[in-house]
Amino acid sequence: MIGEHSSKQYDNELEAIRSKVLLMGGIVETQFLDAMTCFRIGNPERADRVMREDDTVNQLEVSLDDACSHLIVRRQPAANDLRTIMATIKVITDLERIGDEATKIARTAKALHARGAVTVNHYEMVRGIANNTSDMLHDALDAFARNDGKQALQLIAQDAVIDHEFRSIMRNLITFMMEDPRTISAALDTLWVAKAIERIGDHAKNIAEYVIYVVEGKDIRHTKTTPPIPDDVSAQTE
């Protein structure tokens, strides 16, 4: 009875941590969406809100890391449970970094609009990669919530699309700057935003890899073996 009670209490504590991680994920999702809205239309107040939310995300990272550490010390979890906790800690770190990237976008957008730069065309240039990355982040959090290894594997393949889009944006922006030096300032800002979006995609990919680690016990980071790319994803990179 004591062992059963202890196991149930451990499960409750772990579930509480996971719920808080998903709350943190929801915050950084909103940060990213709001930051892209700022890049599209300005709104310095919203940009300031994105930057303020970064403090909330940072505080959540500290409290969740502490909760995970205490859970390991108090419960001394077995191998499978320990794997789950360690992966959760890594997810927390990636979420905090996504918040940092969203803050960079908001800060850049605020400065860009403050200078009176025209950004409509520049937003259109990153709209596709932003939408794909937003979907990827949402799906990564969904895979984490449901421990869905299959969905996580598909997301890892999707990262190739985002990398391809970033390289295309970079080439186009370099062309614009060479043809018209007056576009250099705004083009560089757009490039920083595109890079931040691409990095958010990388962090979403990391989350997907941690889901696979929990579900299958395989650490596929930095391996030469890449997941098969579905036909619909492969077509987007051509």
Side-chain angles (χ1 to χ4, degrees), residues 3 41 46 68 73-74 84 87 95 97 109-110 112 129 149 159 162 166 172 175 194 197 204:
I41 64 173
R46 181 172 291 190
C68 288
V73 171
R74 290 198 314 272
T84 298
L95 289 176
R97 290 174 180 170
K110 184 178 179 180
L112 189 65
I129 190 175
D159 187 57
I162 292 176
F166 172 71
N172 288 336
T175 300
I197 295 170

Side-chain angles (χ1 to χ4, degrees), residues 31-32 34-36 38-39 42-44 46-51 100-113 193 196:
Q31 274 188 294
F32 180 37
D34 283 348
M36 291 310 304
C38 294
F39 187 63
N43 194 325
R46 181 172 291 190
D48 289 337
R49 186 173 67 198
V50 172
M51 290 183 271
D100 286 345
E101 298 297 338
T103 299
K104 290 178 187 177
I105 295 171
R107 186 178 296 116
T108 300
K110 184 178 179 180
L112 189 65
H113 284 274
V193 168

